Amino acid sequence: MSSTDAQAFAHSLARTLMVVIVIFRAGDGSLSVVPADEFDGDASQVVREIDPFAR
């Protein structure tokens, strides 16, 4: 997934589910998106967190 697609998807998912979403780089170099409470990978792979409650 491209960076632009990952960020758009993460923003949409965060606003729909009203949870913090993590964008991370997978082992093959691609970007992926998951809710923060489901991310159990290496914190150094996190590209960005999207918090729907942040102002």
Side-chain angles (χ1 to χ4, degrees):
M1 179 179 312
S2 73
S3 177
T4 303
D5 290 342
Q7 290 193 42
F9 180 54
H11 279 284
S12 175
L13 197 57
R15 297 187 105 198
T16 300
L17 299 177
M18 295 306 290
V19 297
V20 177
I21 300 295
V22 173
I23 301 172
F24 68 97
R25 190 164 307 280
D28 64 358
S30 64
L31 294 175
S32 232
V33 176
V34 296
D37 62 346
E38 293 182 18
F39 180 72
D40 61 351
D42 185 3
S44 68
Q45 298 301 319
V46 173
V47 174
R48 185 169 180 203
E49 291 183 358
I50 309 295
D51 184 353
F53 301 105
R55 295 252 174 201

